[in-house]
Amino acid sequence: MNRMTHLHRAARRVTLAASVVFMTTCIATTGVQAAELQLRAASFAPLDTTWGKPFQMFVDHVNEIGKGVLQIRAVGPEAIPATEQPNAVRSGLVDMISTPPGMYKSAMVEANAQDLSNMTLAEQRASGGYDALNAILKKRLNAQALTTFGTSVPFHIFLTKDNIKSEADLRGLRVRSQPIFSPLFESLGMSQSMIPIPEVYTALERGVVQGFGFAAWGLDDLGWDKLTKVRIDPGFYSVVVNVLINSNRLAKLTPEQRKVLDDSVIWFENMLLTYTKEVTEHNRAKQAAAGIKSVDFGPEFAKKARDLYWKELERLSPQNIPALRAKLDK
C-alpha cells in the first residue's frame, strides 16, 4: 500500500463524533449569518492546556475581529484524535488544524527540518525557509502553514535520577522517546521506549523508564514534574506547532475573509514574542519549585543534537533537506 493510499484510508477513519459536531455547527450557523464563513478546526492538544492555549488565543482573535465575516469553531483531540488530524485537514473534513510536524511526518519527513532551525519565525520567513516548507506541504498534505508557535522553546532530557553529572551518566538509562530524539539518544547510549503519553506517568513511577524527552513547557499538565529530579541543559531543537489550513479552503476565501486571517497572523506572531518568553520563565520557575535541578552539558550538546538529526533527515530526503537546511540553519 503506498503512502497516499494509506492517508486516504486513514482519513475515512476520523471519528463520527467529529463529523456530527461540525455538521451541527454548520446547521446552526446557516440562516443566522449566511454571509459569515465558519471554519472547522482541530487542535492536537486540549485547548485549555499549555500547548492548546496559544491556538485558542489565535482562534479567539479571529472570532473577535472577524464577526460577520469569518469565524473558527475549534475542537480538541477528544473530538478528533491528534494522529488523525493531518488526514482530516488533507481531505477537507476540517479546514484547519494546530499540530506539530511529528504528527504528519509520515506524509512529509522534511517537516522536522523546522524543529532543527535555529532561526526565529521572522527569520524563517525572511530566508525563504517557511515558503519552501509550505511548497512541500501543499503537495504532500494539501495544506499550508499560516503561522507557528513554540519557536525558541527547546526540548530537554528530563530524568528521575539525581546523580547525573555528565553525558557518561546517561549511558544505559531507559527513557521515553519519540522518533525525532532517536539519533541523539542512541548516540548517548540510552535505551528508548516509545510509550504513549497517557502511560508515561505510571512508567516513571514504576521505574520502567528513568526519564523522557519533552518540551520545556507543560510537565505539570501531565504530572511528570512530580517524578522528575533533573533537567539536562541546554535544551536542543525547537518546539514547532504549526497552524495548517486546507489549501482548497484557503484558495476559496474572499479577500475580506483572507484579511481577517492575515491580520490575525500578524497579531499572533507579535503577541508570541512576549508570551513565549513569559511562559518559558514561568515553566522554569515551576520546575525549580518542584525540585527539578539543572545539569548543564554545555553549548556543544545542543549543536551535537542538531547535527545528528540534520544528518538523519538528509538520509531520509537527500533531494530536499540540503536546500531546506541552507534556508533554516544559520
Side-chain angles (χ1 to χ4, degrees):
M1 183 189 303
N2 64 39
R3 182 176 292 165
M4 291 299 103
T5 301
H6 174 74
L7 287 172
H8 280 298
R9 292 184 179 177
R12 297 190 193 109
R13 296 197 302 268
V14 175
T15 59
L16 178 61
S19 300
V20 172
V21 168
F22 288 132
M23 287 174 63
T24 303
T25 297
C26 292
I27 292 169
T29 302
T30 303
V32 177
Q33 289 181 310
E36 181 182 83
L37 175 65
Q38 187 155 27
L39 299 180
R40 303 158 298 177
S43 168
F44 83 106
L47 293 163
D48 61 350
T49 62
T50 297
W51 289 108
K53 286 177 183 177
F55 184 53
Q56 182 66 70
M57 294 164 72
F58 177 77
V59 168
D60 289 344
H61 189 78
V62 169
N63 292 345
E64 180 182 347
I65 70 169
K67 291 176 181 176
V69 178
L70 183 70
Q71 298 284 283
I72 299 174
R73 167 66 182 252
V75 297
E78 69 283 351
I80 304 179
T83 54
E84 295 185 6
Q85 290 176 15
N87 295 317
V89 79
R90 183 184 185 280
S91 68
L93 180 64
V94 297
D95 302 303
M96 184 183 293
I97 60 173
S98 170
T99 190
M103 290 292 179
Y104 53 92
K105 184 178 179 178
S106 62
M108 181 182 167
V109 69
E110 300 88 351
N112 280 142
Q114 200 174 3
D115 294 276
L116 301 185
S117 180
N118 54 3
M119 295 179 170
T120 65
L121 183 55
E123 289 171 335
Q124 290 177 29
R125 290 190 183 279
S127 73
Y130 207 79
D131 286 343
L133 286 166
N134 260 337
I136 302 173
L137 252 175
K138 188 173 183 179
K139 292 178 182 177
R140 304 274 183 80
L141 207 65
N142 190 33
Q144 291 178 254
L146 288 175
T147 188
T148 300
F149 61 93
T151 306
S152 82
V153 179
F155 291 98
H156 293 271
I157 298 173
F158 294 93
L159 300 164
T160 58
K161 302 289 186 181
D162 60 4
N163 59 342
I164 306 299
K165 296 180 180 179
S166 69
E167 291 184 24
D169 295 324
L170 301 179
R171 188 164 297 277
L173 294 182
R174 186 171 183 80
V175 294
R176 191 265 179 184
S177 185
Q178 58 191 66
I180 195 171
F181 300 145
S182 288
L184 174 63
F185 289 6
E186 183 177 343
S187 77
L188 295 169
M190 295 193 295
S191 176
Q192 302 178 61
S193 179
M194 306 296 178
I195 302 171
I197 282 183
E199 299 174 18
V200 173
Y201 185 94
T202 300
L204 291 168
E205 194 174 37
R206 295 178 178 176
V208 176
V209 293
Q210 293 84 51
F212 53 92
F214 201 69
W217 296 2
L219 263 65
D220 56 322
D221 281 345
L222 301 161
W224 299 354
D225 56 328
K226 297 178 177 65
L227 303 172
T228 302
K229 295 181 179 179
V230 165
R231 180 187 67 242
I232 302 300
D233 286 322
F236 55 94
Y237 309 158
S238 176
V239 176
V240 172
V241 182
N242 282 320
V243 177
L244 307 183
I245 187 169
N246 176 276
S247 294
N248 298 334
R249 169 56 72 191
L250 184 63
K252 292 177 181 178
L253 295 182
T254 67
E256 190 179 13
Q257 292 163 350
R258 182 61 189 263
K259 187 176 187 303
V260 171
L261 282 185
D262 290 345
D263 288 350
S264 295
V265 166
I266 293 171
W267 169 85
F268 186 63
E269 293 181 6
N270 285 331
M271 179 275 297
L272 285 176
L273 296 176
T274 300
Y275 180 83
T276 301
K277 181 179 179 181
E278 290 179 347
V279 175
T280 297
E281 291 174 352
H282 182 60
N283 274 267
R284 286 296 176 98
K286 286 196 292 186
Q287 289 172 23
I292 300 173
K293 68 178 183 179
S294 166
V295 175
D296 196 334
F297 283 0
E300 288 301 308
F301 182 74
K303 183 179 184 303
K304 177 171 72 173
R306 290 174 55 248
D307 288 346
L308 282 167
Y309 205 69
W310 274 123
K311 184 177 180 180
E312 172 68 3
L313 286 182
E314 188 166 353
R315 182 185 70 81
L316 295 171
S317 179
Q319 71 278 21
N320 289 329
I321 290 300
L324 284 171
R325 184 171 187 177
K327 291 181 170 67
L328 294 169
D329 197 14
K330 63 180 180 180

